Amino acid sequence: MIFGLSLVFILTSILTVAGALAAALLRNLVHCALSLTVTFAGLALLYLQLDAQFAGFAQILIYIGAVAILVVFAILLTRGSGIPEHRSFSSSWLAGLVISAGVFSLLSWAVIESIPASAARATPQLTVQKIGQALMSSYVLPLEIVAVLLTVALIGAVIVAMPESSKGGAK
Amino acid sequence: MTVISPFWTNLDQIFVLLQQWIESFFPLWLQPAVGSVLGVVAIVAAFPGIFALTTVLERKGLGRMQNRLGPNRVGPLGILQPVADGIKSLTKEDIVPLTADAAVHFLAPVVLVIAVFLGFAVLPIGRNMVLANLDAGLLFFFAIGASTELSIFMAGWSSRNKYSLLGAMRAVAQMISYEVPLLLSSVVAVMITGSLSTVKIVEAQSGFTGIFPHWYVFTPWGFAGFTLFVIAALAETNRSPFDLPEGESELVAGYFTEYSGFKFALFFLGEYLGMFSIAGFAITLFLGGWGAPLSVLSFIPSWAWFFAKLFCAICFFIWLRGTLPRLRQDQLMNFAWKFMLPMSLLNLLVAAAWRFLPEGPSRWVVCSAVLLAAYVLLGRVLMRHQHLGARSYRYAD
């Protein structure tokens, strides 16, 4: 215990913050993407430490398994792989700093405000089964709406990616 | 329930008892940690051992199928070949290409092996023999499996070799495509069990009717799910006939072209361990895990059954590798998205119907008929534009 924080928490948070810093500061874009993956993994570890198994595993499955791969593919498909041409500090870094600090303070204010004083102690006993039951009963409508939205996005992506020639008479 | 003599019960639990015995030498507060370390050591020792044996078995088996002898020089019948291979890979020069990204090039095999080993943590190897009985064990396995894709990409990208990059792109595209049917086909077992815990899934299959077990593979949806799972597992582990990412006749060796020595051995290890863990999950989900295939045989230790089933799965994979030709990229993708995905979605519906239909022969007929009709119809529609016939040699005319 150091400053009331467990050693595991300190190690995972150092890992997470280091990954995030590397993602912002490294010059090679693929390196940035890979360090971002370290941050995702660190966040998943933090969730697991809080006994949120579902959130932790979903974080790994979605962010490392899908989002990181997507980022890396996007980098490879849009520019020559591995030519370090990007600069860490753009000319508008001051404006960026102000905007990100503003967003961060607003979000942290909202988070701190929304915690009731009594909830800090009681850890909810949430099993994966309970999450599943809640998703299938009280939250079934939002779930279905999200599913429809994602299907629409998928079909849209397929239509965008279809070859032009298949439109036939539109020439 | 037949009475089982204490000898067999002790033999069944021998590894658990051994673990407890070693733990008893340590102070009480240290015991959980020591127990976990022992479990990890057992997994890290056992599965690479199986890997060593599998390499011999595979080379011998493939040799037999291709009408040659296979390795037969080191030790009796060539059994000590893995020792020679291991020494060779340890002493070989480790070549890193000049233009390669050294850090990522080094990290890729390490990440792969770590991720693959983590998958074994939730695999129930025997009764009371699971390293971490997680509430969301199956989700853990798929999450870890998804992160192996990244290591493959790292290997292919960092090598700065067009074959490596092509192989990595193929591998990632293939793994992402087949992950969908892999996940969906395993969901049926979760639906019927009502739990994501691998231990509970095995327990749900441990009953017997007469002498026959309640394995999920012996139901219509279970059989369809098992078949889809095995096909997707083959693609996920880049095994033949889905070995396009490392197709040696097109891409040298795919994403690990630029690896040599021990790093190459690590890739090899990672690939085989991935095969074992995914076969282990097929066994856990559909083949009753560590359960005996007949009730009269349940005196034999549970871990022995698990490893026997794993051995059969490995032989099956070797057999497939020896007999099936490699698919083409478009065939691979068409198969995943036009056949595997609709079938696994339909299988979800069938499993739900099975759950709510009254017990009896009627649900067997309904579920089997739906699946069979879908299989035949989908196959007919997809094969309609495939002009399959005698092979014509375009250039030899």
Side-chain angles (χ1 to χ4, degrees), chain A residues 28 30-31 34 37 53-54 57-58 60-61 64-65 68-69 72-73 76-77 81-82 127-129, chain B residues 101 104 134-136 139-140 142-144 146-147 149-150 153-154 157 160 165 169 172 176 194 196:
Chain A
N28 190 321
V30 176
H31 285 174
L34 293 177
T37 317
Q53 276 189 11
F54 185 78
F57 297 151
I60 296 177
L61 188 66
I64 298 180
I69 294 283
V72 151
F73 258 63
L76 281 193
L77 293 179
S81 61
T127 60
V128 177
Q129 195 161 20
Chain B
D101 198 313
V104 182
L134 294 179
D135 204 19
L139 195 65
F140 172 80
F142 287 121
I144 293 302
S147 45
E149 286 159 20
L150 205 69
F153 168 79
M154 282 162 71
W157 175 78
R160 293 279 197 284
L165 194 60
M169 292 302 232
V172 173
I176 287 184
L196 276 166

mmCIF file of all heavy atoms in Angstrom, chain A residues 28 30-31 34 37 53-54 57-58 60-61 64-65 68-69 72-73 76-77 81-82 127-129, chain B residues 101 104 134-136 139-140 142-144 146-147 149-150 153-154 157 160 165 169 172 176 194 196:
data_model
loop_
_atom_site.group_PDB
_atom_site.id
_atom_site.type_symbol
_atom_site.label_atom_id
_atom_site.label_comp_id
_atom_site.label_asym_id
_atom_site.label_seq_id
_atom_site.Cartn_x
_atom_site.Cartn_y
_atom_site.Cartn_z
ATOM 1 N N ASN A 28 6.646 7.169 -35.137
ATOM 2 C CA ASN A 28 6.137 6.201 -36.116
ATOM 3 C C ASN A 28 4.679 5.882 -35.802
ATOM 4 O O ASN A 28 4.344 5.507 -34.677
ATOM 5 C CB ASN A 28 7.001 4.944 -36.038
ATOM 6 C CG ASN A 28 6.716 3.997 -37.158
ATOM 7 O OD1 ASN A 28 5.569 3.822 -37.546
ATOM 8 N ND2 ASN A 28 7.746 3.388 -37.691
ATOM 9 N N VAL A 30 2.648 3.445 -36.641
ATOM 10 C CA VAL A 30 2.308 2.087 -36.223
ATOM 11 C C VAL A 30 2.744 1.867 -34.779
ATOM 12 O O VAL A 30 2.035 1.229 -33.988
ATOM 13 C CB VAL A 30 2.933 1.050 -37.172
ATOM 14 C CG1 VAL A 30 2.670 -0.345 -36.694
ATOM 15 C CG2 VAL A 30 2.386 1.228 -38.561
ATOM 16 N N HIS A 31 3.907 2.448 -34.410
ATOM 17 C CA HIS A 31 4.319 2.372 -33.002
ATOM 18 C C HIS A 31 3.278 3.022 -32.104
ATOM 19 O O HIS A 31 2.958 2.504 -31.026
ATOM 20 C CB HIS A 31 5.663 3.074 -32.805
ATOM 21 C CG HIS A 31 6.813 2.279 -33.316
ATOM 22 N ND1 HIS A 31 8.099 2.760 -33.355
ATOM 23 C CD2 HIS A 31 6.856 1.042 -33.820
ATOM 24 C CE1 HIS A 31 8.889 1.847 -33.866
ATOM 25 N NE2 HIS A 31 8.163 0.789 -34.157
ATOM 26 N N LEU A 34 0.422 0.704 -31.670
ATOM 27 C CA LEU A 34 0.742 -0.427 -30.782
ATOM 28 C C LEU A 34 0.798 0.033 -29.330
ATOM 29 O O LEU A 34 0.360 -0.689 -28.432
ATOM 30 C CB LEU A 34 2.060 -1.071 -31.206
ATOM 31 C CG LEU A 34 2.016 -1.773 -32.563
ATOM 32 C CD1 LEU A 34 3.379 -2.310 -32.936
ATOM 33 C CD2 LEU A 34 1.005 -2.904 -32.556
ATOM 34 N N THR A 37 -2.529 0.201 -27.918
ATOM 35 C CA THR A 37 -2.994 -1.123 -27.510
ATOM 36 C C THR A 37 -2.579 -1.431 -26.074
ATOM 37 O O THR A 37 -3.343 -2.031 -25.323
ATOM 38 C CB THR A 37 -2.405 -2.183 -28.448
ATOM 39 O OG1 THR A 37 -2.487 -1.711 -29.755
ATOM 40 C CG2 THR A 37 -3.133 -3.472 -28.317
ATOM 41 N N GLN A 53 -15.456 -8.288 -14.447
ATOM 42 C CA GLN A 53 -14.921 -9.240 -15.420
ATOM 43 C C GLN A 53 -15.446 -8.964 -16.816
ATOM 44 O O GLN A 53 -14.686 -8.937 -17.784
ATOM 45 C CB GLN A 53 -15.304 -10.654 -15.021
ATOM 46 C CG GLN A 53 -14.377 -11.260 -14.014
ATOM 47 C CD GLN A 53 -14.657 -12.724 -13.818
ATOM 48 O OE1 GLN A 53 -15.399 -13.348 -14.574
ATOM 49 N NE2 GLN A 53 -14.064 -13.295 -12.804
ATOM 50 N N PHE A 54 -16.755 -8.737 -16.898
ATOM 51 C CA PHE A 54 -17.345 -8.579 -18.226
ATOM 52 C C PHE A 54 -16.762 -7.364 -18.935
ATOM 53 O O PHE A 54 -16.345 -7.445 -20.093
ATOM 54 C CB PHE A 54 -18.866 -8.452 -18.104
ATOM 55 C CG PHE A 54 -19.555 -8.407 -19.426
ATOM 56 C CD1 PHE A 54 -19.744 -9.573 -20.139
ATOM 57 C CD2 PHE A 54 -19.968 -7.220 -19.964
ATOM 58 C CE1 PHE A 54 -20.355 -9.544 -21.378
ATOM 59 C CE2 PHE A 54 -20.577 -7.183 -21.197
ATOM 60 C CZ PHE A 54 -20.774 -8.350 -21.901
ATOM 61 N N PHE A 57 -13.048 -8.097 -20.019
ATOM 62 C CA PHE A 57 -12.871 -8.991 -21.167
ATOM 63 C C PHE A 57 -13.442 -8.363 -22.434
ATOM 64 O O PHE A 57 -12.879 -8.527 -23.513
ATOM 65 C CB PHE A 57 -13.507 -10.352 -20.900
ATOM 66 C CG PHE A 57 -12.864 -11.081 -19.763
ATOM 67 C CD1 PHE A 57 -13.576 -11.981 -18.996
ATOM 68 C CD2 PHE A 57 -11.535 -10.866 -19.461
ATOM 69 C CE1 PHE A 57 -12.979 -12.644 -17.946
ATOM 70 C CE2 PHE A 57 -10.934 -11.519 -18.408
ATOM 71 C CZ PHE A 57 -11.659 -12.411 -17.649
ATOM 72 N N ALA A 58 -14.547 -7.648 -22.281
ATOM 73 C CA ALA A 58 -15.110 -6.982 -23.460
ATOM 74 C C ALA A 58 -14.146 -5.918 -23.965
ATOM 75 O O ALA A 58 -13.983 -5.733 -25.175
ATOM 76 C CB ALA A 58 -16.455 -6.367 -23.111
ATOM 77 N N ILE A 60 -10.877 -6.079 -23.820
ATOM 78 C CA ILE A 60 -9.815 -6.765 -24.579
ATOM 79 C C ILE A 60 -10.360 -7.204 -25.934
ATOM 80 O O ILE A 60 -9.750 -6.974 -26.974
ATOM 81 C CB ILE A 60 -9.290 -7.974 -23.783
ATOM 82 C CG1 ILE A 60 -8.627 -7.520 -22.493
ATOM 83 C CG2 ILE A 60 -8.279 -8.749 -24.622
ATOM 84 C CD1 ILE A 60 -8.161 -8.648 -21.630
ATOM 85 N N LEU A 61 -11.534 -7.832 -25.905
ATOM 86 C CA LEU A 61 -12.093 -8.397 -27.140
ATOM 87 C C LEU A 61 -12.335 -7.305 -28.168
ATOM 88 O O LEU A 61 -12.001 -7.453 -29.343
ATOM 89 C CB LEU A 61 -13.402 -9.115 -26.809
ATOM 90 C CG LEU A 61 -14.049 -9.922 -27.922
ATOM 91 C CD1 LEU A 61 -13.169 -11.086 -28.278
ATOM 92 C CD2 LEU A 61 -15.404 -10.419 -27.495
ATOM 93 N N ILE A 64 -8.684 -4.406 -28.228
ATOM 94 C CA ILE A 64 -7.439 -4.993 -28.734
ATOM 95 C C ILE A 64 -7.723 -5.844 -29.958
ATOM 96 O O ILE A 64 -7.008 -5.798 -30.954
ATOM 97 C CB ILE A 64 -6.735 -5.810 -27.633
ATOM 98 C CG1 ILE A 64 -6.366 -4.896 -26.486
ATOM 99 C CG2 ILE A 64 -5.497 -6.481 -28.190
ATOM 100 C CD1 ILE A 64 -5.678 -5.579 -25.361
ATOM 101 N N GLY A 65 -8.816 -6.633 -29.902
ATOM 102 C CA GLY A 65 -9.087 -7.542 -31.002
ATOM 103 C C GLY A 65 -9.617 -6.864 -32.239
ATOM 104 O O GLY A 65 -9.391 -7.332 -33.344
ATOM 105 N N ALA A 68 -7.891 -1.941 -32.378
ATOM 106 C CA ALA A 68 -6.461 -1.783 -32.661
ATOM 107 C C ALA A 68 -6.138 -2.278 -34.063
ATOM 108 O O ALA A 68 -5.383 -1.634 -34.803
ATOM 109 C CB ALA A 68 -5.645 -2.544 -31.625
ATOM 110 N N ILE A 69 -6.732 -3.418 -34.434
ATOM 111 C CA ILE A 69 -6.506 -3.966 -35.777
ATOM 112 C C ILE A 69 -7.019 -2.985 -36.828
ATOM 113 O O ILE A 69 -6.371 -2.734 -37.850
ATOM 114 C CB ILE A 69 -7.225 -5.324 -35.906
ATOM 115 C CG1 ILE A 69 -6.596 -6.345 -34.971
ATOM 116 C CG2 ILE A 69 -7.213 -5.818 -37.321
ATOM 117 C CD1 ILE A 69 -5.298 -6.902 -35.435
ATOM 118 N N VAL A 72 -4.646 -0.038 -37.179
ATOM 119 C CA VAL A 72 -3.424 -0.428 -37.867
ATOM 120 C C VAL A 72 -3.681 -0.603 -39.360
ATOM 121 O O VAL A 72 -2.906 -0.140 -40.204
ATOM 122 C CB VAL A 72 -2.931 -1.717 -37.182
ATOM 123 C CG1 VAL A 72 -2.174 -2.570 -38.126
ATOM 124 C CG2 VAL A 72 -2.094 -1.395 -35.979
ATOM 125 N N PHE A 73 -4.811 -1.212 -39.697
ATOM 126 C CA PHE A 73 -5.166 -1.395 -41.104
ATOM 127 C C PHE A 73 -5.367 -0.041 -41.766
ATOM 128 O O PHE A 73 -4.930 0.179 -42.894
ATOM 129 C CB PHE A 73 -6.448 -2.226 -41.208
ATOM 130 C CG PHE A 73 -6.189 -3.647 -41.576
ATOM 131 C CD1 PHE A 73 -5.463 -4.449 -40.735
ATOM 132 C CD2 PHE A 73 -6.650 -4.166 -42.764
ATOM 133 C CE1 PHE A 73 -5.206 -5.749 -41.065
ATOM 134 C CE2 PHE A 73 -6.391 -5.474 -43.106
ATOM 135 C CZ PHE A 73 -5.669 -6.265 -42.265
ATOM 136 N N LEU A 76 -2.060 1.429 -42.565
ATOM 137 C CA LEU A 76 -1.372 0.760 -43.663
ATOM 138 C C LEU A 76 -2.030 1.061 -45.001
ATOM 139 O O LEU A 76 -1.355 1.169 -46.013
ATOM 140 C CB LEU A 76 -1.375 -0.746 -43.439
ATOM 141 C CG LEU A 76 -0.359 -1.283 -42.464
ATOM 142 C CD1 LEU A 76 -0.274 -2.777 -42.599
ATOM 143 C CD2 LEU A 76 0.993 -0.677 -42.701
ATOM 144 N N LEU A 77 -3.355 1.175 -45.023
ATOM 145 C CA LEU A 77 -4.045 1.351 -46.292
ATOM 146 C C LEU A 77 -4.007 2.788 -46.777
ATOM 147 O O LEU A 77 -4.210 3.055 -47.948
ATOM 148 C CB LEU A 77 -5.504 0.895 -46.173
ATOM 149 C CG LEU A 77 -5.693 -0.599 -45.950
ATOM 150 C CD1 LEU A 77 -7.158 -0.928 -45.833
ATOM 151 C CD2 LEU A 77 -5.078 -1.401 -47.065
ATOM 152 N N SER A 81 3.688 2.337 -45.454
ATOM 153 C CA SER A 81 3.875 1.837 -44.091
ATOM 154 C C SER A 81 5.257 2.232 -43.582
ATOM 155 O O SER A 81 6.263 2.037 -44.240
ATOM 156 C CB SER A 81 3.719 0.329 -44.082
ATOM 157 O OG SER A 81 4.688 -0.240 -44.913
ATOM 158 N N GLY A 82 5.265 2.783 -42.410
ATOM 159 C CA GLY A 82 6.508 2.923 -41.682
ATOM 160 C C GLY A 82 7.402 4.080 -42.075
ATOM 161 O O GLY A 82 8.525 4.153 -41.616
ATOM 162 N N THR A 127 -22.587 -10.210 -11.421
ATOM 163 C CA THR A 127 -22.048 -11.333 -12.167
ATOM 164 C C THR A 127 -22.386 -11.144 -13.643
ATOM 165 O O THR A 127 -23.248 -10.348 -13.995
ATOM 166 C CB THR A 127 -22.637 -12.662 -11.678
ATOM 167 O OG1 THR A 127 -24.042 -12.589 -11.857
ATOM 168 C CG2 THR A 127 -22.307 -12.906 -10.234
ATOM 169 N N VAL A 128 -21.679 -11.904 -14.463
ATOM 170 C CA VAL A 128 -21.931 -11.814 -15.900
ATOM 171 C C VAL A 128 -23.369 -12.229 -16.204
ATOM 172 O O VAL A 128 -24.032 -11.666 -17.066
ATOM 173 C CB VAL A 128 -20.926 -12.705 -16.639
ATOM 174 C CG1 VAL A 128 -21.202 -12.703 -18.125
ATOM 175 C CG2 VAL A 128 -19.521 -12.234 -16.385
ATOM 176 N N GLN A 129 -23.845 -13.216 -15.441
ATOM 177 C CA GLN A 129 -25.214 -13.691 -15.648
ATOM 178 C C GLN A 129 -26.234 -12.580 -15.436
ATOM 179 O O GLN A 129 -27.176 -12.423 -16.209
ATOM 180 C CB GLN A 129 -25.476 -14.841 -14.680
ATOM 181 C CG GLN A 129 -26.702 -15.642 -15.043
ATOM 182 C CD GLN A 129 -26.688 -16.996 -14.396
ATOM 183 O OE1 GLN A 129 -25.975 -17.211 -13.414
ATOM 184 N NE2 GLN A 129 -27.447 -17.919 -14.922
ATOM 185 N N ASP B 101 12.085 -3.396 -37.885
ATOM 186 C CA ASP B 101 11.815 -2.627 -36.690
ATOM 187 C C ASP B 101 12.156 -3.513 -35.502
ATOM 188 O O ASP B 101 11.365 -4.365 -35.105
ATOM 189 C CB ASP B 101 10.326 -2.270 -36.703
ATOM 190 C CG ASP B 101 10.038 -1.141 -35.779
ATOM 191 O OD1 ASP B 101 10.521 -1.209 -34.644
ATOM 192 O OD2 ASP B 101 9.344 -0.212 -36.190
ATOM 193 N N VAL B 104 9.698 -4.146 -32.323
ATOM 194 C CA VAL B 104 8.443 -4.836 -32.637
ATOM 195 C C VAL B 104 8.737 -6.244 -33.133
ATOM 196 O O VAL B 104 8.026 -7.206 -32.815
ATOM 197 C CB VAL B 104 7.644 -4.023 -33.677
ATOM 198 C CG1 VAL B 104 6.327 -4.688 -33.972
ATOM 199 C CG2 VAL B 104 7.412 -2.623 -33.173
ATOM 200 N N LEU B 134 -13.217 -18.819 -13.952
ATOM 201 C CA LEU B 134 -13.789 -17.487 -14.089
ATOM 202 C C LEU B 134 -15.270 -17.588 -14.411
ATOM 203 O O LEU B 134 -15.716 -18.519 -15.072
ATOM 204 C CB LEU B 134 -13.086 -16.720 -15.198
ATOM 205 C CG LEU B 134 -11.623 -16.384 -14.966
ATOM 206 C CD1 LEU B 134 -11.077 -15.651 -16.149
ATOM 207 C CD2 LEU B 134 -11.490 -15.540 -13.720
ATOM 208 N N ASP B 135 -15.990 -16.575 -13.955
ATOM 209 C CA ASP B 135 -17.410 -16.484 -14.238
ATOM 210 C C ASP B 135 -17.636 -16.316 -15.736
ATOM 211 O O ASP B 135 -18.627 -16.792 -16.284
ATOM 212 C CB ASP B 135 -17.943 -15.260 -13.480
ATOM 213 C CG ASP B 135 -19.408 -15.385 -13.215
ATOM 214 O OD1 ASP B 135 -19.901 -16.527 -13.291
ATOM 215 O OD2 ASP B 135 -20.046 -14.370 -12.934
ATOM 216 N N ALA B 136 -16.712 -15.648 -16.389
ATOM 217 C CA ALA B 136 -16.825 -15.378 -17.828
ATOM 218 C C ALA B 136 -15.672 -16.040 -18.568
ATOM 219 O O ALA B 136 -15.005 -15.438 -19.396
ATOM 220 C CB ALA B 136 -16.840 -13.884 -18.079
ATOM 221 N N LEU B 139 -15.597 -16.019 -22.426
ATOM 222 C CA LEU B 139 -15.331 -14.668 -22.934
ATOM 223 C C LEU B 139 -13.842 -14.354 -22.823
ATOM 224 O O LEU B 139 -13.249 -13.776 -23.739
ATOM 225 C CB LEU B 139 -16.154 -13.672 -22.123
ATOM 226 C CG LEU B 139 -16.290 -12.291 -22.706
ATOM 227 C CD1 LEU B 139 -17.067 -12.361 -23.989
ATOM 228 C CD2 LEU B 139 -16.975 -11.383 -21.733
ATOM 229 N N PHE B 140 -13.242 -14.770 -21.716
ATOM 230 C CA PHE B 140 -11.804 -14.582 -21.521
ATOM 231 C C PHE B 140 -11.027 -15.238 -22.641
ATOM 232 O O PHE B 140 -10.132 -14.641 -23.242
ATOM 233 C CB PHE B 140 -11.401 -15.172 -20.169
ATOM 234 C CG PHE B 140 -9.912 -15.213 -19.926
ATOM 235 C CD1 PHE B 140 -9.250 -14.078 -19.518
ATOM 236 C CD2 PHE B 140 -9.204 -16.379 -20.107
ATOM 237 C CE1 PHE B 140 -7.888 -14.110 -19.295
ATOM 238 C CE2 PHE B 140 -7.840 -16.416 -19.880
ATOM 239 C CZ PHE B 140 -7.184 -15.268 -19.470
ATOM 240 N N PHE B 142 -11.960 -16.029 -25.701
ATOM 241 C CA PHE B 142 -12.091 -15.365 -26.997
ATOM 242 C C PHE B 142 -11.394 -14.017 -27.003
ATOM 243 O O PHE B 142 -10.845 -13.594 -28.020
ATOM 244 C CB PHE B 142 -13.560 -15.229 -27.383
ATOM 245 C CG PHE B 142 -14.161 -16.531 -27.785
ATOM 246 C CD1 PHE B 142 -15.250 -17.048 -27.131
ATOM 247 C CD2 PHE B 142 -13.597 -17.268 -28.798
ATOM 248 C CE1 PHE B 142 -15.784 -18.266 -27.491
ATOM 249 C CE2 PHE B 142 -14.119 -18.482 -29.169
ATOM 250 C CZ PHE B 142 -15.223 -18.981 -28.514
ATOM 251 N N ALA B 143 -11.411 -13.323 -25.854
ATOM 252 C CA ALA B 143 -10.718 -12.041 -25.780
ATOM 253 C C ALA B 143 -9.223 -12.240 -25.996
ATOM 254 O O ALA B 143 -8.581 -11.509 -26.755
ATOM 255 C CB ALA B 143 -10.982 -11.390 -24.429
ATOM 256 N N ILE B 144 -8.673 -13.266 -25.343
ATOM 257 C CA ILE B 144 -7.244 -13.529 -25.478
ATOM 258 C C ILE B 144 -6.926 -13.962 -26.909
ATOM 259 O O ILE B 144 -5.930 -13.539 -27.501
ATOM 260 C CB ILE B 144 -6.820 -14.608 -24.465
ATOM 261 C CG1 ILE B 144 -6.949 -14.074 -23.050
ATOM 262 C CG2 ILE B 144 -5.410 -15.074 -24.710
ATOM 263 C CD1 ILE B 144 -6.145 -12.851 -22.786
ATOM 264 N N ALA B 146 -8.391 -13.090 -29.554
ATOM 265 C CA ALA B 146 -8.427 -11.954 -30.468
ATOM 266 C C ALA B 146 -7.121 -11.193 -30.441
ATOM 267 O O ALA B 146 -6.742 -10.569 -31.431
ATOM 268 C CB ALA B 146 -9.581 -11.035 -30.094
ATOM 269 N N SER B 147 -6.400 -11.241 -29.324
ATOM 270 C CA SER B 147 -5.178 -10.440 -29.270
ATOM 271 C C SER B 147 -4.005 -11.128 -29.954
ATOM 272 O O SER B 147 -2.955 -10.507 -30.121
ATOM 273 C CB SER B 147 -4.834 -10.070 -27.832
ATOM 274 O OG SER B 147 -4.959 -11.174 -27.008
ATOM 275 N N GLU B 149 -4.073 -11.895 -33.031
ATOM 276 C CA GLU B 149 -4.045 -11.277 -34.354
ATOM 277 C C GLU B 149 -3.055 -10.126 -34.394
ATOM 278 O O GLU B 149 -2.343 -9.935 -35.380
ATOM 279 C CB GLU B 149 -5.432 -10.731 -34.693
ATOM 280 C CG GLU B 149 -6.418 -11.797 -35.032
ATOM 281 C CD GLU B 149 -7.836 -11.316 -34.857
ATOM 282 O OE1 GLU B 149 -8.046 -10.101 -34.854
ATOM 283 O OE2 GLU B 149 -8.718 -12.174 -34.719
ATOM 284 N N LEU B 150 -3.020 -9.385 -33.309
ATOM 285 C CA LEU B 150 -2.152 -8.218 -33.277
ATOM 286 C C LEU B 150 -0.683 -8.637 -33.344
ATOM 287 O O LEU B 150 0.118 -7.989 -34.022
ATOM 288 C CB LEU B 150 -2.429 -7.426 -32.002
ATOM 289 C CG LEU B 150 -2.068 -5.969 -32.133
ATOM 290 C CD1 LEU B 150 -3.022 -5.287 -33.080
ATOM 291 C CD2 LEU B 150 -2.073 -5.302 -30.804
ATOM 292 N N PHE B 153 0.170 -9.432 -36.844
ATOM 293 C CA PHE B 153 0.372 -8.207 -37.612
ATOM 294 C C PHE B 153 1.733 -7.600 -37.283
ATOM 295 O O PHE B 153 2.459 -7.148 -38.170
ATOM 296 C CB PHE B 153 -0.731 -7.193 -37.314
ATOM 297 C CG PHE B 153 -0.409 -5.849 -37.861
ATOM 298 C CD1 PHE B 153 -0.600 -5.586 -39.201
ATOM 299 C CD2 PHE B 153 0.155 -4.877 -37.063
ATOM 300 C CE1 PHE B 153 -0.246 -4.369 -39.729
ATOM 301 C CE2 PHE B 153 0.508 -3.657 -37.583
ATOM 302 C CZ PHE B 153 0.304 -3.407 -38.911
ATOM 303 N N MET B 154 2.087 -7.583 -35.990
ATOM 304 C CA MET B 154 3.374 -7.008 -35.591
ATOM 305 C C MET B 154 4.524 -7.722 -36.291
ATOM 306 O O MET B 154 5.460 -7.095 -36.785
ATOM 307 C CB MET B 154 3.541 -7.122 -34.065
ATOM 308 C CG MET B 154 2.766 -6.106 -33.280
ATOM 309 S SD MET B 154 2.573 -6.584 -31.564
ATOM 310 C CE MET B 154 4.213 -6.378 -30.940
ATOM 311 N N TRP B 157 4.478 -6.819 -40.115
ATOM 312 C CA TRP B 157 4.797 -5.424 -40.428
ATOM 313 C C TRP B 157 6.253 -5.106 -40.109
ATOM 314 O O TRP B 157 6.939 -4.429 -40.875
ATOM 315 C CB TRP B 157 3.872 -4.504 -39.640
ATOM 316 C CG TRP B 157 4.212 -3.072 -39.813
ATOM 317 C CD1 TRP B 157 3.904 -2.289 -40.884
ATOM 318 C CD2 TRP B 157 4.949 -2.259 -38.909
ATOM 319 N NE1 TRP B 157 4.419 -1.030 -40.691
ATOM 320 C CE2 TRP B 157 5.062 -0.990 -39.491
ATOM 321 C CE3 TRP B 157 5.540 -2.488 -37.667
ATOM 322 C CZ2 TRP B 157 5.733 0.042 -38.866
ATOM 323 C CZ3 TRP B 157 6.194 -1.461 -37.048
ATOM 324 C CH2 TRP B 157 6.289 -0.207 -37.649
ATOM 325 N N ARG B 160 9.491 -5.805 -42.541
ATOM 326 C CA ARG B 160 9.798 -5.027 -43.746
ATOM 327 C C ARG B 160 10.060 -5.936 -44.945
ATOM 328 O O ARG B 160 11.065 -5.821 -45.627
ATOM 329 C CB ARG B 160 11.048 -4.156 -43.537
ATOM 330 C CG ARG B 160 10.890 -3.081 -42.548
ATOM 331 C CD ARG B 160 10.194 -1.888 -43.173
ATOM 332 N NE ARG B 160 10.393 -0.701 -42.352
ATOM 333 C CZ ARG B 160 9.751 -0.491 -41.221
ATOM 334 N NH1 ARG B 160 8.880 -1.363 -40.796
ATOM 335 N NH2 ARG B 160 9.977 0.600 -40.524
ATOM 336 N N LEU B 165 4.425 -9.056 -44.992
ATOM 337 C CA LEU B 165 3.279 -8.164 -44.853
ATOM 338 C C LEU B 165 2.040 -8.774 -45.503
ATOM 339 O O LEU B 165 0.939 -8.734 -44.928
ATOM 340 C CB LEU B 165 3.603 -6.807 -45.476
ATOM 341 C CG LEU B 165 2.633 -5.698 -45.118
ATOM 342 C CD1 LEU B 165 2.615 -5.501 -43.624
ATOM 343 C CD2 LEU B 165 3.012 -4.415 -45.796
ATOM 344 N N MET B 169 -1.368 -9.690 -43.567
ATOM 345 C CA MET B 169 -2.673 -9.159 -43.977
ATOM 346 C C MET B 169 -3.661 -10.293 -44.197
ATOM 347 O O MET B 169 -4.815 -10.223 -43.757
ATOM 348 C CB MET B 169 -2.529 -8.353 -45.271
ATOM 349 C CG MET B 169 -1.753 -7.085 -45.118
ATOM 350 S SD MET B 169 -2.482 -6.010 -43.910
ATOM 351 C CE MET B 169 -2.601 -4.514 -44.824
ATOM 352 N N VAL B 172 -4.632 -11.775 -40.753
ATOM 353 C CA VAL B 172 -5.545 -10.967 -39.941
ATOM 354 C C VAL B 172 -6.940 -10.980 -40.565
ATOM 355 O O VAL B 172 -7.945 -11.143 -39.857
ATOM 356 C CB VAL B 172 -4.985 -9.539 -39.798
ATOM 357 C CG1 VAL B 172 -5.996 -8.654 -39.121
ATOM 358 C CG2 VAL B 172 -3.706 -9.568 -39.004
ATOM 359 N N ILE B 176 -10.075 -12.502 -38.514
ATOM 360 C CA ILE B 176 -11.230 -11.667 -38.151
ATOM 361 C C ILE B 176 -12.506 -12.257 -38.742
ATOM 362 O O ILE B 176 -13.544 -12.331 -38.086
ATOM 363 C CB ILE B 176 -11.000 -10.221 -38.621
ATOM 364 C CG1 ILE B 176 -9.962 -9.577 -37.731
ATOM 365 C CG2 ILE B 176 -12.285 -9.430 -38.601
ATOM 366 C CD1 ILE B 176 -9.717 -8.145 -38.023
ATOM 367 N N GLY B 194 -26.527 -21.995 -19.861
ATOM 368 C CA GLY B 194 -26.901 -20.838 -19.058
ATOM 369 C C GLY B 194 -25.737 -20.265 -18.283
ATOM 370 O O GLY B 194 -25.929 -19.603 -17.271
ATOM 371 N N LEU B 196 -21.344 -18.825 -18.783
ATOM 372 C CA LEU B 196 -20.139 -18.657 -19.593
ATOM 373 C C LEU B 196 -18.949 -19.371 -18.967
ATOM 374 O O LEU B 196 -17.861 -19.353 -19.515
ATOM 375 C CB LEU B 196 -19.803 -17.176 -19.729
ATOM 376 C CG LEU B 196 -20.503 -16.375 -20.816
ATOM 377 C CD1 LEU B 196 -20.309 -14.902 -20.558
ATOM 378 C CD2 LEU B 196 -19.947 -16.716 -22.165
#
